[in-house]
């Protein structure tokens, strides 16, 4: 018992919050507040969220990324989050792992996206230890050439967040709400969603994954369990998160803007063609 | 790598810009620099602000720039916007305090200008400076060069 305690003296302290089924909007609001209003380090694990929800990155355009008519018809919630990166659809079978840290939490780490992802991939290497040829590939967590974890980050002057949604399982019909993105990693090779992604459950039991992630985090930080209620008490701050649920109006107006843009482009092309033929 | 530095020298000479070279990234004279890698060019009480070549190189290709509203107040050291690259949003902090008088709308269509021309076409905002004494809190080109070397050398 002496050796682990002595080792922990040199590790940064990190609050560990273990959740189950917390709505993803609530999770993101908490994360954004902790990034901006806390000076402590945090690991948040949310084992599944409630209803299927689409989550876009900060610059996501619904008309480009989503089959909006289907989304509206089936009333699937769409969130725009505060971090960068792409679009995911999450549900009870998604496992979320988030690290929120001060700049000195990981000794020697530069606060840039690729540095942070190099660090996180080493941490997850400890979790998977070669299972299924796990590695970080063009900023995605993959087994071989198939993605099972989407990650995103936000970096401030002195703090950073790296959060991941792991596809422990997924429903095929949910992927139909997502278009193939224009910006995609090269290794995707224009594959559709179902050929591009894989299920973590085919590689590791859920409880083992969660336990191994906590264990890996414990090798990097001195973990202190914290209950959700303690966060909500401490951080009832005035900070207003930018993460938001898009309204039906916003989704519909994005379709209208996209159609108007396409119409303008088509008109311009027609005019050029007509001019060229003169 | 050497050819990039040579190209930069020739381009700088053509444009009559004085440069330092610190390995791969360029640092310009006549600018001031913050410790969060923004640059500011001051002309009277008007300032133009962007991120440095060192920053854009470390961030990767910028795909989106979150710009403030014209008229917004900025405070030295505080965030006024963000850039998105490699799945990350990174705050951009103001090197000076004042009021935003112009934003670079071109970045909405071509965010990559932040990478390709960080000191020229990739400028982000223009500010009416509140207190030019604040410039004393910033680094000169030599100081910024050493700062970057130390930051990279330690990691």
């Amino acid at each position: 018992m002496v050796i682990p305690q002595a080792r922990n003296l040199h590790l940064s302290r990190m609050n560990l919050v273990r959740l189950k089924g917390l709505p993803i909007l609530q999770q993101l609001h908490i994360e954004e507040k902790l990034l901006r209003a806390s000076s402590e380090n945090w690991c948040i694990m949310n084992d599944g969220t409630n209803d299927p929800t689409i989550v876009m990155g900060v610059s996501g355009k619904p008309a480009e990324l989503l089959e909006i008519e289907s989304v509206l018809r089936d009333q699937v919630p769409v969130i725009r989050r505060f971090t960068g990166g792409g679009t995911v659809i999450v549900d009870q079978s998604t496992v979320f792992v988030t690290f929120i840290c001060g700049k000195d939490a990981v000794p020697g780490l530069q606060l840039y996206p690729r540095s942070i992802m190099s660090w996180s991939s080493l941490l997850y290497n400890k979790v998977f230890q070669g299972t299924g040829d796990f590695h970080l590939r063009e900023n995605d967590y993959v087994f071989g050439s198939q993605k099972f974890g989407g990650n995103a980050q936000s970096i401030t002057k002195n703090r950073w967040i790296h959060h991941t949604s792991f596809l422990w399982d997924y429903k095929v019909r949910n992927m139909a709400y997502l278009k193939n993105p224009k910006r995609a990693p090269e290794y995707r090779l224009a594959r559709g969603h179902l050929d591009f992604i894989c299920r973590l459950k085919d590689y590791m039991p859920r409880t083992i994954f969660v336990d191994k992630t906590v264990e890996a985090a414990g090798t990097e930080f001195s973990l202190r369990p914290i209950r959700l209620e303690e966060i909500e008490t401490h951080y009832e701050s005035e900070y207003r998160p930018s993460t938001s649920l898009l309204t039906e109006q916003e989704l519909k107006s994005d379709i209208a803007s996209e159609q108007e843009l396409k119409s303008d482009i088509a008109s311009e092309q027609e005019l050029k063609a007509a001019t060229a033929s003169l | 790598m050497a050819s990039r530095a040579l190209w930069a020298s020739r381009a700088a000479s053509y444009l009559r810009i004085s440069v330092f070279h610190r390995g791969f990234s360029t640092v310009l004279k006549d600018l001031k620099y913050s410790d969060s890698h923004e640059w500011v060019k001051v002309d009277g009480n008007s300032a133009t602000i962007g991120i440095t070549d060192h920053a854009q190189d470390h961030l990767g290709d910028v795909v989106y720039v979150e710009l403030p509203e014209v008229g917004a107040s900025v405070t030295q050291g505080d965030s006024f916007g963000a850039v998105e690259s490699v799945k990350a949003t990174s705050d951009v902090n103001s090197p000076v305090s004042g009021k935003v008088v112009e934003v670079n709308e071109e970045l909405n269509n071509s965010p990559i200008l932040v990478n390709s021309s960080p000191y020229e076409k990739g400028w982000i905002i223009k500010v009416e400076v509140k207190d030019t004494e604040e410039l004393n809190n910033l680094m000169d080109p030599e100081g910024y060069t050493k700062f970057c070397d130390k930051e990279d050398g330690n990691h």
Side-chain angles (χ1 to χ4, degrees):
Chain A
M1 292 305 292
V2 172
I3 293 172
Q5 284 170 352
R7 189 163 60 97
N8 282 349
L9 285 175
H10 302 290
L11 301 177
S12 300
R13 196 169 79 169
M14 176 170 277
N15 299 317
L16 173 64
V17 187
R18 295 183 71 160
L19 306 165
K20 191 168 176 64
L22 189 76
I24 185 60
L25 182 62
Q26 190 177 348
Q27 176 188 334
L28 289 167
H29 279 167
I30 289 169
E31 290 181 0
E32 198 174 346
K33 277 191 193 176
L34 292 178
L35 174 69
R36 295 284 176 182
S38 167
S39 58
E40 296 179 36
N41 304 316
W42 301 84
C43 175
I44 297 170
M45 301 187 72
N46 187 18
D47 193 354
T49 188
N50 48 359
D51 298 321
T53 305
I54 293 167
V55 185
M56 298 189 306
V58 69
S59 62
K61 295 190 172 93
E64 279 182 18
L65 296 166
L66 311 178
E67 299 291 352
I68 295 189
E69 288 178 13
S70 305
V71 168
L72 288 171
R73 179 195 67 213
D74 298 341
Q75 298 188 307
V76 183
V78 179
I79 292 171
R80 179 178 281 119
R81 66 179 187 265
F82 65 103
T83 53
T87 307
V88 293
I89 179 159
V90 299
D91 60 17
Q92 301 89 338
S93 299
T94 312
V95 180
F96 302 92
V97 181
T98 298
F99 292 96
I100 303 170
C101 292
K103 66 182 170 72
D104 296 323
V106 178
L109 182 69
Q110 282 197 316
L111 267 56
Y112 290 111
R114 288 177 288 212
S115 316
I116 295 169
M117 267 189 275
S118 291
W119 169 82
S120 68
S121 69
L122 291 176
L123 184 137
Y124 285 113
N125 266 338
K126 296 179 187 177
V127 176
F128 297 109
Q129 291 181 317
T131 300
D133 186 24
F134 164 78
H135 56 284
L136 181 71
R137 187 167 185 176
E138 292 183 63
N139 311 312
D140 290 338
Y141 296 130
V142 301
F143 291 126
S145 63
Q146 290 187 295
K147 179 178 175 178
F148 71 97
N151 64 72
Q153 304 176 120
S154 186
I155 304 169
T156 71
K157 198 170 172 182
N158 295 308
R159 292 174 66 70
W160 55 272
I161 178 171
H162 174 92
H163 59 189
T164 308
S165 56
F166 289 99
L167 288 172
W168 188 77
D169 196 0
Y170 61 83
K171 291 186 171 58
V172 168
R173 66 170 185 268
N174 283 348
M175 295 302 153
Y177 294 117
L178 307 182
K179 291 181 178 174
N180 277 6
K182 285 179 190 172
R183 279 200 315 258
E186 282 182 23
Y187 81 97
R188 183 164 182 155
L189 300 171
R191 287 178 282 167
H193 289 296
L194 300 179
D195 292 324
F196 178 53
I197 57 177
C198 65
R199 295 172 167 90
L200 176 53
K201 74 174 190 176
D202 293 336
Y203 294 86
M204 187 176 275
R206 192 163 178 160
T207 51
I208 300 286
F209 168 66
V210 171
D211 289 346
K212 279 185 168 289
T213 301
V214 173
E215 190 182 315
T219 65
E220 301 267 343
F221 305 100
S222 174
L223 298 176
R224 180 176 78 130
I226 291 277
R227 290 176 299 117
L228 177 63
E229 298 73 32
E230 291 178 68
I231 300 179
E232 287 168 342
T233 307
H234 267 110
Y235 294 101
E236 278 178 30
S237 70
E238 316 77 44
Y239 180 77
R240 290 183 61 199
S242 61
T243 298
S244 62
L245 186 66
L246 271 59
T247 63
E248 189 173 313
Q249 186 59 37
E250 284 169 309
L251 292 171
K252 284 179 177 172
S253 68
D254 202 61
I255 298 179
S257 298
E258 180 86 351
Q259 285 170 346
E260 200 177 304
L261 181 62
K262 282 182 180 169
S263 174
D264 286 347
I265 291 171
S267 298
E268 200 177 310
Q269 286 171 342
E270 278 173 24
L271 182 60
K272 277 184 184 169
T275 309
S277 66
L278 288 175
Chain B
M1 295 168 187
S3 64
R4 178 177 165 174
L6 183 59
W7 176 87
S9 284
R10 287 179 177 162
S13 177
Y14 176 75
L15 294 168
R16 297 180 191 172
I17 301 169
S18 300
V19 301
F20 282 98
H21 284 295
R22 48 164 310 281
F24 307 111
S25 299
T26 301
V27 177
L28 298 190
K29 277 188 179 175
D30 305 326
L31 302 182
K32 292 286 234 178
Y33 298 88
S34 71
D35 61 3
S36 50
H37 302 286
E38 291 88 12
W39 58 265
V40 60
K41 182 175 179 178
V42 178
D43 184 7
N45 71 339
S46 173
T48 306
I49 292 164
I51 67 168
T52 66
D53 189 31
H54 178 277
Q56 70 78 19
D57 186 51
H58 282 61
L59 284 171
D61 286 351
V62 174
V63 298
Y64 173 71
V65 181
E66 191 177 277
L67 296 167
E69 299 283 335
V70 172
S73 295
V74 294
T75 304
Q76 187 177 56
D78 286 356
S79 165
F80 66 80
V83 295
E84 183 185 356
S85 66
V86 198
K87 300 182 164 191
T89 58
S90 299
D91 278 1
V92 185
N93 305 297
S94 186
V96 293
S97 303
K99 189 173 76 171
V100 177
V101 295
E102 193 178 345
V103 300
N104 188 352
E105 304 269 7
E106 196 54 42
L107 297 179
N108 290 325
N109 300 319
S110 301
I112 201 73
L113 287 172
V114 172
N115 299 107
S116 61
S117 182
Y119 298 113
E120 301 261 344
K121 293 178 183 175
W123 67 272
I124 302 177
I125 61 171
K126 293 187 180 177
V127 167
E128 185 183 280
V129 178
K130 193 173 166 185
D131 178 6
T132 52
E133 293 287 315
E134 279 188 335
L135 295 171
N136 297 329
N137 301 331
L138 303 174
M139 290 179 272
D140 62 20
E142 275 183 13
Y144 179 64
T145 299
K146 287 178 186 164
F147 175 76
C148 290
D149 282 342
K150 189 179 172 189
E151 213 179 59
D152 284 343
N154 281 341
H155 305 289

